[in-house]
Amino acid sequence: MTATVLRAARPYGGDPVDLVLRDGVVAEVLPAGTGSGSVVDADGLVALPGLVDLHTHLREPGREDAETVETGTRAAALGGFTAVHAMANTDPVADTAGVVEQVWRLGREAGHCDVAPVGAVTVGLRGERLAELGAMAESAARVRVFSDDGHCVSDAVLMRRALEYVKAFDGVIAQHAQEPRLTEGAQMNEGALSGVLGLKGWPSVAEESVIARDILLTAHVGSRLHVCHVSTAGSVEILRLAKERGLAVTAEVTPHHLLLDEELAATYDAVYKVNPPLRSKADVEALRQGVADGTIDAIATDHAPHAGEDKEGEWAHALPGMLGLETALSVAQLALVDTGLLDWAGVAERLSVAPARIGRLAGQGRPLSVGEPANVVLVDPAARWTVDPAALASKSRNTPYAGRELPGRVVATFLRGRATVLDGALA
C-alpha cells in the first residue's frame, strides 16, 4: 500500500516531522522532508489524534429531516472527528440491540468516521424500567455508554440498578443531570436576567443536586459515572471533590458553554436555546478553569440538529439544541488555546484521548506514535473563517456562530490512514 506522508506536520504543536501513514497505522515518524510516498503538505499545521465526540445527535432513525447518519458523520469528519457516540433519543429510541446495530451499520456504510451508538438507560427514555443494557453491550455495536440524554434518570433506585448492571461489561452511565421538578417549564438560566425577560428560570441547583446524588450512588456501587454537558460553577466544584476522593466519575462540557453566556437569551433568538441553558459569565469562566485543571475530562459537542420549523418559531416553543461538530475545534482554540489555558496536547487530551477512554474505543484517542492507528487530524491554527450555515455539511442550520469569524480550520482528517477530508473538503 502506498504510504501517505504528512510532510512537516507538527504533532501536538511541537517540532515539524514527517508522519508516514501506511496500512492503517503510523508507520514511521521521520525528520521533516525525509519521508517517501504520497505527500500531503502539512507545513505549519498542527497534527492531533482524530477527535472523538462523546455526545452527538444523528437523529436517524426517525428524524431524517433534521439529520442522517450520512450527513452527521460528514459534518464530523469535516470537524476533525474520527469517531462519534450517537445519542439514543431517536425514533424508535435506541433501547434494543436491533436499533443500536442499525445505527452502527449505517455508520459503517457511510464510512466518514466510526459511529459508536449510545444505548438508552430506560425503555423509551421514560425512566420507568431498565432497557436491554446487556443485549446492547453484547450486540455487534458493543455499546459501552448508556444515556437517557434529554431526560434525567431521576429515580434513584433505577439509577443505582443501572450503575450496578453496567459493571459486568465495564459500561458507563452518562447522566443528563436535570432534576425534573425544579425545571418544569424552564426556558433559560435562572437569575436576574430571566426575571427581566419574563422567561422561567432553570436553576443551577437542578443540575448540581443530581450530580451530587449520582456521585454518592457511584461511590456506593463502585461503578462508572459520566456527567453530560456540565454547565455551572457549582457542578465543577462538586466534581472536583469527587475527583479528590478518587471516584470513577468523569464529565464533559460543550464548546458553546465554554464561549457563550445567558445574555444571548435577550435576543429571543431561539438558536441560543439549549439544554442545559447558557449560563452566567462566571459559570463560563469556571467551566474553562475546570477544563484547564482536568476536573472536566472532555469537551463534547452535544451536536443537536433541528429542522427549521423546530427552531425558527418563538423562543418558548422552539426545541433546545445547536449544531457543534464543524465548529468544536475552532471554539476550543478560541476559548482555551488562544486564552493560554490549554496547549494543543491539552486539546488532544480533552477532545480525543479522554472521550475515547471514557467510551472504551480501543482504536481511537491513541498517540501519534509508530504502530498506533493512523487516526489523525491536521489543523491550521493561523487560519480564520467565517461560519456560513449554508456551507455546513449538517442537514440543519441551527448554528449560533452564523456570520461569526472563528480561528483555526481543519485541513485534513484521516481515518485509519484513509483521508476523509483533504484541503478542507470531503475526500
Side-chain angles (χ1 to χ4, degrees):
M1 182 178 179
T2 303
T4 300
V5 180
L6 310 185
R7 179 78 82 212
R10 297 167 52 214
Y12 310 98
D15 294 333
V17 298
D18 282 1
L19 289 172
V20 182
L21 314 183
R22 186 170 54 240
D23 297 330
V25 300
V26 178
E28 296 175 285
V29 179
L30 301 171
T34 63
S36 61
S38 177
V39 172
V40 174
D41 183 7
D43 188 18
L45 305 184
V46 172
L48 302 174
L51 308 186
V52 177
D53 193 20
L54 273 168
H55 199 137
T56 298
H57 296 275
L58 292 177
R59 303 301 189 207
E60 188 175 10
R63 286 305 304 265
E64 290 83 353
D65 57 328
E67 195 76 288
T68 65
V69 173
E70 169 70 26
T71 59
T73 54
R74 284 184 186 180
L78 287 164
F81 291 89
T82 52
V84 299
H85 288 78
M87 278 294 165
N89 59 341
T90 51
D91 184 13
V93 170
D95 57 6
T96 66
V99 179
V100 296
E101 285 190 347
Q102 177 189 0
V103 174
W104 176 73
R105 293 187 194 285
L106 287 169
R108 284 171 64 92
E109 290 168 9
H112 303 297
C113 68
D114 291 343
V115 174
V118 174
V121 178
T122 67
V123 175
L125 310 176
R126 290 192 290 272
E128 297 170 348
R129 60 188 174 92
L130 291 183
E132 300 174 1
L133 307 184
M136 289 188 277
E138 294 172 4
S139 72
R142 295 187 56 76
V143 176
R144 289 295 179 273
V145 181
F146 298 87
S147 180
D148 276 3
D149 182 57
H151 302 269
C152 180
V153 182
S154 59
D155 185 311
V157 174
L158 265 180
M159 188 62 182
R160 173 182 175 173
R161 296 286 178 252
L163 288 165
E164 290 172 334
Y165 203 105
V166 300
K167 287 174 63 179
F169 41 80
D170 196 23
V172 63
I173 301 298
Q175 175 70 291
H176 174 111
Q178 178 182 359
E179 207 294 316
R181 290 295 305 280
L182 288 172
T183 54
E184 289 177 354
Q187 294 290 324
M188 66 169 291
N189 183 46
E190 182 178 278
L193 184 61
S194 62
V196 171
L197 298 178
L199 296 173
K200 186 169 182 182
W202 199 123
S204 299
V205 70
E207 176 176 300
E208 295 154 6
S209 59
V210 172
I211 294 174
R213 183 206 70 176
D214 288 351
I215 287 172
L216 294 173
L217 285 172
T218 302
H220 182 68
V221 170
S223 189
R224 286 204 297 140
L225 170 71
H226 178 71
V227 183
C228 296
H229 40 51
V230 172
S231 70
T232 77
S235 295
V236 176
E237 282 304 307
I238 294 166
L239 288 162
R240 192 168 282 132
L241 292 173
K243 298 269 187 180
E244 289 173 359
R245 290 181 59 188
L247 300 176
V249 176
T250 56
E252 68 186 39
V253 64
T254 72
H256 49 268
H257 283 103
L258 290 170
L259 187 66
L260 310 177
D261 65 63
E262 63 177 346
E263 292 184 5
L264 290 163
T267 65
Y268 290 102
D269 184 342
V271 76
Y272 301 114
K273 182 177 179 180
V274 283
N275 183 5
L278 299 177
R279 301 291 189 179
S280 69
K281 292 184 187 301
D283 288 311
V284 171
E285 183 55 33
L287 293 168
R288 291 184 180 189
Q289 293 297 330
V291 173
D293 68 20
T295 301
I296 297 175
D297 304 80
I299 299 170
T301 69
D302 197 5
H303 176 82
H306 287 299
E309 62 268 24
D310 292 326
K311 284 298 276 187
E312 293 168 359
E314 294 181 6
W315 179 285
H317 301 295
L319 295 179
M322 53 181 61
L323 302 183
L325 286 170
E326 292 172 79
T327 52
L329 196 54
S330 291
V331 175
Q333 179 178 336
L334 180 61
L336 299 169
V337 180
D338 291 354
T339 56
L341 289 170
L342 216 58
D343 59 16
W344 286 107
V347 171
E349 172 66 26
R350 306 299 187 275
L351 269 162
S352 179
V353 179
R357 181 173 63 243
I358 293 165
R360 298 296 192 253
L361 298 183
Q364 299 283 347
R366 301 296 303 166
L368 297 177
S369 304
V370 172
E372 295 286 357
N375 298 320
V376 186
V377 56
L378 295 176
V379 187
D380 182 355
R384 301 191 72 84
W385 62 294
T386 300
V387 180
D388 175 6
L392 298 178
S394 175
K395 210 167 184 178
S396 293
R397 297 290 172 261
N398 52 308
T399 174
Y401 309 114
R404 182 165 181 162
E405 186 179 79
L406 294 177
R409 194 75 200 258
V410 172
V411 176
T413 308
F414 296 87
L415 176 63
R416 288 180 284 278
R418 176 177 60 84
T420 57
V421 172
L422 276 177
D423 295 327
L426 291 170

